[in-house]
Amino acid sequence: MEHAAVHIEIANSVLPAVAILLPLLGAAAVALIGNRNERLRDIAAAVFAAGAFVTCAAMFPSVMSQGTKLTVSLPIFFGDFRLTADSLGLLFALFASLVWMLATIYSRAYIQHEERRTRYHVFSLLTEAATLGVFLASDFFVLFVFFELMGMLAYALVVHTQTYEAKKAGVKYIFMTVYGGLSLLAGVFLFLMYAGGLGFTAHPGSAYLTTSACFLVSGFMIGGFGVKAGMVPLHVWLPLAHPAAPSPASALLSGVMIKAGAYGFLRIIGTFQVGAPAHSGMGMVASGAGEAGHAAQVPVFMHNLQTLGWVIIWFGILTMVVGMVLALVQDNAKRLLAYSSISQMGYILMGLGVGAYMGAEGGMGLAGGIYHIVNHSLFKSLLFLGVGAVYYMTHVLEISRLGGLWRKMPVTCALTCIGGLGIMGMPLFNGFASKTLLHHAVVEALGVGGGWMRAVDIIFMVAAGGTVCYVAKLLILTFFGHHREESAHEITEVPWAMRLGMGGLATGVVLFGVFPGLVIRKIILPALRPFVNLDPQAVHHLEEIRIFTPANLLAILPALAIGTGIFLVATRWDLFQLRLPKKVGVAYFYTRTELGFLRLCFAGSKRNAELRSVYWPIAESFGEYLYDSWKAMSEEYDRLRDVIKPSGIGMYLYGTLKALGVDYRRFSKTAFERMLLLPMDIAGLASYVRARQFTGDIAYGVIVITAMAALLALTLFW
Amino acid sequence: MLWNRRRPGLAKVVYIGSTVATILAILPLYPRALDGAITTQRLVSIAPRISLAFRVDTVGFYFALLLGVLWLLCSIYSLGYIQKNETRYYCFLSLNLSFCLGVALSANMFTLFIFYELMTLFTYPLIIHEETEQARKAGLKYLVYSVSAGAVIMLGLILQYYYGGTLSFLGHGTLKLSQVGKPILLTIFSIYMLGFGVKACIMPLHGWVPDAHPAAPAPASALLSGVILKVGIFGIIRVMFDVFGIELLKTLGVALPMLIVASFSIIVGSLFALTQDELKRRLAYSSVAQVAYIVLGLFLLAPDGAIGGLLHIAHHAFMKGCLFLAAGVIIHETGKKKVSEMSGIGSRIPLTMAAFAVGALGMMGIPLTCGFITKWFLGLGTIQAHHPCFIAVLLISSLLNAVYFLPIVYVAFFKGESPEGESRLLRRETKRSMLVPVMICAGMIIILGVFVTVKGFPYSLVEVVVKAVF
């Protein structure tokens, strides 16, 4: 029985708490130093961010190599607020703190041309603390607390520049975050209810594992994590928010925080891991081999996990394709990268979905997903920092206005290209390894899923081609060719701090690409430890896997061909300028919903006419897109009020009816009013409804007392 | 009490001194309250088995302590805020404190009722303090609502005494199903709910709230919203715990209707708040919704729900206190009452608006604020009570809170230009006596939200209460 469920030791250690406290202290230090000594402040920020990384690295030997869990209990909240570094969480914490450290170093130079520098550093460090908290949480309660905090704190990073775009993005961001947090909270409550605890695994025998309640729970949780992960159709905030932030913050948003969503998906899959069915004597046969006749022998939760995996795969595919297509047509470099992040999250979700779908054999999908998470955080941060460096020098983000920068910024160009090659999945760069694993996982799933998985395989290939294309477009138009526009500024290489930040990430991209076997054995496989259901044989197979085989190398050729094809065709006929009609995007429907909601609220206010005028500015602050629709709505209300002059509740009902599609004009004024008020008259409440004036209140009092007298009489003569 | 027209300065000193003394007088009871011990003191006997009597039990102590603390904060704030008729104001403020304490520490329904009525009457001068037309109207509305509610409670009192034979609080229900019968019990229950529901502003009995709050001066609004509404809730608590008892309520099957009424209040109150442009009116509607949280928690009839509900009494007091006091600073410093006029005030009064933002986040139930603790316990309660659908009410309400609070913060900080530019750092934000209570409230929101289980904080007391009852 040399299965994966190695005996996991739990040791007390303050290190997880230290990792979170250091950025917190850093934020305090930065706030105290403030603008008095900018140099010292920036150094302090970098030192504390580095401290967090070192702390995480210090946990590496015992957690990753020896399989110990380090845990610490803080006496806040309900007395046992526990942080635990297990191998999965620590892997996330490790790369999060690494990217954060490099981005902080980079921002030391970059942020010079922004306002409110202290605020930026303070919130960056606070957000780092919250993000590390998400990864080092010991149960869903702690995870939720940090997740929500991370979302709220990052708002300050999104709106940092306080331009019109940033504020608009901020509004969308904050409301999606609030919504996601609530959905997650609902999921956590339901998890507690059905699974009998808040830990990351459900209690054996609980309703969560034996019934389909798990779909309800994981549905709500996915609703929460999906927002953060930029999963289509919950992604609408991402392409606004990521480009709006200053570049190092975009790198953190796209490179790290978005991964908190993926981490949530991993934890959801982890809830089903309650000891491998192999050694509990339950049927192992069917899940791997896919023979329908044996399906009944698979425990219910494995079956549910498979269904869940199937759903996640398709969400992943949708995300991958939507992100890729939209990235292709972007001109703003940061928007392009933001859509690219959505697309890459699609890869990751697909990998995790395959991992869940394959049940005990899912090691390949999970490993591919996790590997891609790490890789994506390296190369996407690098690309954002590279684009940020270009913006720092040229103040231009539209790639059609750039070009030929490699002469003037050779180091930036080289480093950014390393990131680009990484995301394209070129051999010797990290994307190649993870995409190969993902591809292997899909191929393995072909045996179980049949035709559907064939489709997944093809779409995966096309998406990889699209990735090659948009990255090539970004790099070629920015750095190569001829210089399209004379810049007002003297363009030189960026300061050393920025080069250092990018250089660190580029080193990571290369190292993770050149030594994939080492990475898999030392980092990825230990991170799979919480997934105890995995078949040890499959995991062992992973250990032996070789990345640089001729077959794997050949497998990238179709993607390259597709990418080059799209690129050539699109440049030839200028297809990169294509824009889809508004109604195709989900954002349009969100706006409709928001408006419908506001409409309903204001239907309830009888002072609509007067309020409307003062509410316009506020509606505008929700985003200009609401403003025009708002105006149309108000005019409609004027018409409505001419037809009938109802009381407050009357207006409310009208609004409801209108929302349901009933045409109020069919009711004459008097008939409708009477119909509405008759039952209320009977209930003696009509005067209350009308108790807007003082007389109405007197009437209210009289009615209440009369009713009481009646009740008294009734009681006494029962 | 301190009717000193000629020397308002002295009145202030005496007044603050007496408030502090009150708190100091309450504090020694703390260890006994934590043990769940009960101290009783009979004052006057009116009739056989009816007397004015006091008793300190845990829930009473909890409420009394909260009263003291919030009263002190609002009083300090008043020193800066109240400009005219100070003596009258402090006199009634002080009288109200003693009446509220009387309610909290009463040993039977009769005593509670007497103090409840006195408090109701003596709140009136606070509401009409500004003596504007609007204030008078609001005051009258308040009186009509409250006095008729008082009559209703009186009726309940009579019925309870007639059928139950005692009005004392004994820590368990005194009405017995076997002796009284279901219809009459239901009648008594609904009468009490109607009576206390007016002060606890359960919809549709909330009519006076949105008028009275904006009319009153800011510290008085904070007290109204923070504790005086809670006096109604306290009445409901006494009715639930000491008149009927949890078991009887479960048998009567009144929980679900009350939950639905509370949910209605929560959602519709929030929807109404959304459409208000006057800040204090918006806050008032928010109170309608938030106080219904407490009712929701209590009527889940589950330990965790009750913890959530009882905690929210203190949590909401600090959050709404913070918001109303901050609103007062806004009015005092900028003269702006409407949300739509508040563009850019964040740069004028940054600390106040930061405190306001903390209060708003608390209302939304974001972690690290005490609003989250409430939400968490209420959520646990819904699960314990096997009514998980009410989680949806909590979450939708949080979302609505975000929708009507965040634009205020947004408009204040991010909209418009900062008018004064550099010089703002040199300018004092507002009077210290006003700023300090606001900041203390904001601090309490976070402290109560993080260090939940510290001895002496609401949770330690509430736990004892709930253990005794369930």
Side-chain angles (χ1 to χ4, degrees):
Chain A
M1 285 259 264
E2 69 291 336
H3 53 76
V6 258
H7 181 64
I8 293 177
E9 268 185 63
I10 296 176
N12 284 319
S13 160
V14 291
L15 286 179
V18 172
I20 294 171
L21 277 178
L22 274 177
L24 272 184
L25 289 176
V30 164
L32 281 179
I33 299 170
N35 289 331
R36 264 164 272 172
N37 187 341
E38 298 220 358
R39 204 182 159 74
L40 181 64
R41 177 198 65 198
D42 294 351
I43 291 173
V47 164
F48 278 101
F53 173 66
V54 170
T55 317
C56 288
M59 287 185 272
F60 187 89
S62 50
V63 175
M64 285 295 198
S65 311
Q66 295 157 25
T68 320
K69 274 189 190 176
L70 300 180
T71 179
V72 59
S73 172
L74 303 178
I76 55 173
F77 283 95
F78 311 118
D80 189 24
F81 191 75
R82 192 169 281 280
L83 301 168
T84 301
D86 71 350
S87 52
L88 182 63
L90 183 64
L91 169 65
F92 277 79
L94 203 57
F95 77 74
S97 53
L98 172 68
V99 174
W100 224 290
M101 176 180 78
L102 294 170
T104 309
I105 294 172
Y106 173 96
S107 57
R108 173 187 165 1
Y110 182 88
I111 211 73
Q112 295 303 331
H113 76 162
E114 299 268 0
E115 300 276 307
R116 299 169 283 268
R117 294 183 272 266
T118 306
R119 187 178 83 182
Y120 170 81
H121 280 299
V122 168
F123 276 96
S124 168
L125 286 166
L126 287 177
T127 316
E128 177 178 13
T131 311
L132 291 178
V134 171
F135 297 144
L136 297 176
S138 68
D139 56 38
F140 277 116
F141 172 73
V142 181
L143 191 151
F144 168 78
V145 167
F146 282 117
F147 191 82
E148 189 91 330
L149 282 177
M150 179 184 75
M152 288 290 152
L153 290 167
Y155 175 76
L157 298 179
V158 171
V159 297
H160 182 80
T161 55
Q162 294 193 202
T163 57
Y164 180 75
E165 261 70 44
K167 288 183 206 170
K168 193 176 157 192
V171 170
K172 202 120 216 165
Y173 173 81
I174 198 80
F175 279 103
M176 288 300 275
T177 302
V178 169
Y179 151 72
L182 295 177
S183 179
L184 178 59
L185 184 60
V188 171
F189 277 136
L190 291 174
F191 184 78
L192 176 65
M193 180 170 165
Y194 288 116
L198 283 167
F200 285 136
T201 49
H203 280 261
S206 60
Y208 183 76
L209 294 178
T210 51
T211 65
S212 49
C214 64
F215 294 122
L216 188 69
V217 178
S218 45
F220 274 113
M221 283 196 181
I222 287 176
F225 290 127
V227 170
K228 187 80 7 192
M231 183 181 83
V232 173
L234 302 173
H235 67 287
V236 286
W237 63 275
L238 198 151
L240 293 173
H242 286 197
S247 289
S250 318
L252 295 172
L253 281 164
S254 246
V256 183
M257 279 178 251
I258 190 173
K259 303 306 184 311
Y263 178 74
F265 276 83
L266 277 166
R267 285 301 183 197
I268 294 173
I269 296 170
T271 54
F272 292 91
Q273 312 290 325
V274 284
H279 46 86
S280 55
M282 291 187 275
M284 238 338 272
V285 229
S287 71
E291 293 161 53
H294 292 266
Q297 293 175 10
V298 181
V300 178
F301 68 88
M302 286 305 269
H303 191 71
N304 287 341
L305 179 60
Q306 194 177 14
T307 316
L308 190 66
W310 199 82
V311 174
I312 297 177
I313 290 176
W314 285 99
F315 269 121
I317 291 289
L318 186 68
T319 309
M320 185 193 296
V321 173
V322 169
M324 183 269 287
V325 171
L326 290 173
L328 279 174
V329 296
Q330 299 304 320
D331 189 36
N332 179 316
K334 284 172 85 175
R335 257 179 103 82
L336 185 149
L337 288 177
Y339 276 113
S340 156
S341 285
I342 295 176
S343 173
Q344 298 295 314
M345 285 311 285
Y347 281 81
I348 292 164
L349 293 186
M350 187 207 69
L352 303 184
V354 171
Y357 181 69
M358 297 290 284
E361 307 290 323
M364 188 71 84
L366 292 176
I370 295 173
Y371 202 157
H372 204 62
I373 287 170
V374 179
N375 287 346
H376 181 250
S377 67
L378 294 172
F379 53 61
K380 188 50 62 64
S381 318
L382 177 53
L383 286 170
F384 263 116
L385 294 186
V387 166
V390 170
Y391 179 72
Y392 179 75
M393 275 300 156
T394 62
H395 292 275
V396 174
L397 276 175
E398 289 75 30
I399 48 180
S400 55
R401 290 171 56 199
L402 293 165
L405 287 176
W406 70 274
R407 277 175 218 283
K408 295 182 174 161
M409 312 170 73
V411 180
T412 306
C413 171
L415 295 174
T416 314
C417 286
I418 291 177
L421 292 170
I423 193 171
M424 282 183 192
M426 289 298 135
L428 297 184
F429 297 95
N430 59 2
F432 177 71
S434 52
K435 285 190 183 179
T436 302
L437 285 186
L438 287 172
H439 188 243
H440 276 270
V442 175
V443 170
E444 276 184 11
L446 278 177
V448 185
W452 287 108
M453 284 301 137
R454 178 78 59 199
V456 169
D457 193 26
I458 293 167
I459 298 173
F460 178 71
M461 197 58 73
V462 174
T467 310
V468 171
C469 179
Y470 66 69
V471 177
K473 173 188 159 190
L474 173 71
L475 295 177
I476 291 173
L477 291 186
T478 310
F479 291 109
F480 302 104
H482 54 93
H483 201 166
R484 271 178 279 277
E485 205 170 278
E486 274 312 310
S487 172
H489 312 269
E490 179 64 25
I491 299 173
T492 54
E493 193 50 82
V494 289
W496 65 267
M498 292 168 75
R499 275 179 280 166
L500 181 62
M502 291 189 284
L505 289 168
T507 316
V509 171
V510 173
L511 284 180
F512 275 58
V514 176
F515 306 108
L518 197 64
V519 172
I520 291 174
R521 273 196 302 281
K522 293 287 175 201
I523 298 178
I524 307 297
L525 287 186
L528 287 181
R529 232 175 256 137
F531 300 93
V532 292
N533 277 5
L534 291 180
D535 179 13
Q537 298 247 295
V539 175
H540 187 67
H541 169 64
L542 262 171
E543 211 166 303
E544 306 282 289
I545 197 166
R546 295 186 54 228
I547 297 294
F548 298 114
T549 62
N552 288 346
L553 291 171
L554 285 177
I556 63 162
L557 284 182
L560 269 180
I562 294 170
T564 321
I566 302 176
F567 188 75
L568 291 177
V569 171
T571 24
R572 173 70 184 77
W573 283 286
D574 219 16
L575 294 182
F576 285 137
Q577 308 302 325
L578 270 184
R579 293 293 177 274
L580 293 168
K582 261 204 160 122
K583 289 195 181 183
V584 174
V586 279
Y588 174 79
F589 292 99
Y590 286 137
T591 311
R592 293 296 308 169
T593 317
E594 285 156 25
L595 260 181
F597 170 70
L598 285 178
R599 174 198 300 250
L600 201 65
C601 293
F602 275 83
S605 163
K606 75 168 193 169
R607 282 173 304 281
N608 179 59
E610 71 197 57
L611 268 183
R612 180 188 67 204
S613 55
V614 288
Y615 238 83
W616 270 357
I618 294 181
E620 203 186 353
S621 76
F622 275 97
E624 62 169 356
Y625 55 91
L626 282 180
Y627 181 74
D628 296 331
S629 324
W630 186 271
K631 222 165 141 186
M633 186 186 107
S634 298
E635 279 156 13
E636 191 186 318
Y637 268 105
D638 281 339
R639 281 203 304 279
L640 190 144
R641 292 183 69 86
D642 287 342
V643 181
I644 33 116
K645 293 190 170 53
S647 56
I649 287 188
M651 276 303 263
Y652 200 80
L653 287 183
Y654 279 128
T656 317
L657 287 175
K658 191 75 184 57
L660 293 172
V662 180
D663 186 6
Y664 51 82
R665 287 190 190 83
R666 271 193 293 157
F667 304 102
S668 77
K669 170 188 166 187
T670 43
F672 193 84
E673 280 270 78
R674 207 175 298 141
M675 201 176 78
L676 208 65
L677 291 177
L678 189 66
M680 291 171 188
D681 274 322
I682 293 169
L685 279 172
S687 58
Y688 171 67
V689 170
R690 288 153 172 270
R692 306 286 173 173
Q693 283 88 38
F694 161 67
T695 46
D697 296 315
I698 296 284
Y700 162 80
V702 172
I703 285 174
V704 169
I705 290 176
T706 324
M708 283 311 108
L711 260 176
L712 180 70
L714 210 66
T715 326
L716 290 181
F717 304 106
W718 200 279
Chain B
M1 208 167 185
L2 27 112
W3 200 254
N4 193 335
R5 211 172 265 282
R6 262 160 289 169
R7 298 176 62 189
L10 180 67
K12 279 184 207 169
V13 174
V14 175
Y15 169 66
I16 296 287
S18 68
T19 314
V20 174
T22 315
I23 296 181
L24 290 180
I26 300 169
L27 275 179
L29 297 166
Y30 173 70
R32 290 176 60 80
L34 207 55
D35 296 341
I38 292 157
T39 319
T40 327
Q41 172 72 51
R42 176 174 298 189
L43 208 64
V44 206
S45 283
I46 309 273
R49 288 185 293 165
I50 299 182
S51 58
L52 273 184
F54 294 106
R55 134 198 171 116
V56 185
D57 59 2
T58 323
V59 67
F61 172 78
Y62 166 57
F63 197 59
L65 188 62
L66 176 69
L67 282 170
V69 172
L70 208 71
W71 226 278
L72 183 62
L73 288 175
C74 290
S75 313
I76 297 171
Y77 184 92
S78 305
L79 296 182
Y81 190 85
I82 300 295
Q83 308 285 347
K84 61 170 188 182
N85 282 336
E86 284 159 301
T87 313
R88 182 181 79 187
Y89 176 81
Y90 288 114
C91 171
F92 282 110
L93 205 58
S94 172
L95 281 174
N96 264 315
L97 173 59
S98 55
F99 296 146
C100 284
L101 284 174
V103 172
L105 303 179
S106 53
N108 55 44
M109 215 57 191
F110 179 74
T111 320
L112 189 146
F113 174 70
I114 297 290
F115 280 105
Y116 188 87
E117 282 298 281
L118 283 171
M119 180 213 69
T120 301
L121 292 177
F122 283 84
T123 310
Y124 176 72
L126 295 182
I127 292 175
I128 60 149
H129 183 80
E130 309 271 351
E131 293 181 4
T132 57
E133 188 60 24
Q134 183 207 9
R136 273 180 231 270
K137 260 188 177 165
L140 203 50
K141 193 167 188 175
Y142 166 78
L143 268 193
V144 170
Y145 271 76
S146 304
V147 171
S148 43
V152 175
I153 298 176
M154 183 71 198
L155 179 61
L157 219 64
I158 295 167
L159 288 179
Q160 188 202 340
Y161 185 66
Y162 183 79
Y163 288 105
T166 175
L167 292 175
S168 300
F169 301 140
L170 302 173
H172 53 78
T174 48
L175 289 172
K176 299 277 181 294
L177 185 61
S178 49
Q179 293 166 8
V180 188
K182 203 168 174 183
I184 291 168
L185 283 178
L186 282 178
T187 313
I188 298 178
F189 179 78
S190 27
I191 286 175
Y192 271 138
M193 286 306 124
L194 274 176
F196 287 118
V198 169
K199 189 122 298 166
C201 61
I202 301 171
M203 273 195 179
L205 306 174
H206 68 287
W208 63 276
V209 177
D211 287 335
H213 280 73
S221 323
L223 281 179
L224 267 177
S225 206
V227 284
I228 293 182
L229 297 187
K230 282 14 170 300
V231 176
I233 291 289
F234 190 76
I236 292 179
I237 292 174
R238 284 299 191 200
V239 170
M240 287 180 72
F241 291 174
D242 292 303
V243 175
F244 283 85
I246 299 298
E247 288 310 313
L248 182 55
L249 287 176
K250 277 183 186 163
T251 344
L252 282 179
V254 290
L256 196 60
M258 285 305 289
L259 287 178
I260 292 169
V261 168
S263 306
F264 180 80
S265 280
I266 292 175
I267 302 288
V268 177
S270 299
L271 286 177
F272 281 173
L274 186 54
T275 58
Q276 304 304 320
D277 192 37
E278 191 180 344
L279 178 58
K280 280 171 90 181
R281 247 184 122 78
R282 197 182 277 203
L283 293 178
Y285 271 115
S286 158
S287 286
V288 173
Q290 293 286 325
V291 170
Y293 266 53
I294 306 173
V295 179
L296 182 83
L298 291 171
F299 277 96
L300 284 169
L301 300 183
D304 278 341
I307 290 182
L310 290 170
L311 279 179
H312 203 52
I313 294 178
H315 291 172
H316 179 248
F318 283 110
M319 293 194 286
K320 209 31 85 54
C322 175
L323 291 173
F324 266 118
L325 295 183
V329 174
I330 296 171
I331 292 168
H332 192 265
E333 291 299 317
T334 68
K336 289 173 181 168
K337 288 185 170 179
K338 295 193 169 176
V339 177
S340 52
E341 295 166 350
M342 290 182 181
S343 297
I345 55 169
S347 55
R348 168 71 185 79
I349 40 173
L351 282 177
T352 310
M353 286 317 288
F356 189 94
V358 170
L361 291 176
M363 287 290 172
M364 290 159 56
I366 301 298
L368 295 195
T369 64
C370 54
F372 171 65
I373 304 299
T374 311
K375 200 161 76 173
W376 181 255
F377 275 112
L378 290 182
L380 293 184
T382 57
I383 292 170
Q384 254 177 6
H386 303 292
H387 287 309
C389 49
F390 287 101
I391 294 178
V393 175
L394 295 178
L395 300 186
I396 293 172
S397 157
S398 297
L399 192 62
L400 290 175
N401 275 299
V403 172
Y404 66 81
F405 273 125
L406 285 182
I408 305 173
V409 180
Y410 174 81
V411 164
F413 277 115
F414 293 120
K415 214 157 172 268
E417 304 300 311
S418 61
E420 279 139 286
E422 292 303 306
S423 64
R424 75 185 160 88
L425 287 176
L426 305 173
R427 203 177 178 293
R428 208 159 60 122
E429 183 163 336
T430 182
K431 291 180 190 167
R432 199 160 291 154
S433 61
M434 287 163 71
L435 190 60
V436 168
V438 175
M439 298 318 282
I440 290 179
C441 278
M444 283 307 286
I445 292 173
I446 292 177
I447 291 172
L448 291 181
V450 178
F451 305 101
V452 182
T453 48
V454 175
K455 284 263 177 284
F457 277 10
Y459 182 76
S460 58
L461 291 165
V462 164
E463 210 184 8
V464 178
V465 176
V466 170
K467 258 189 197 141
V469 176
F470 285 92

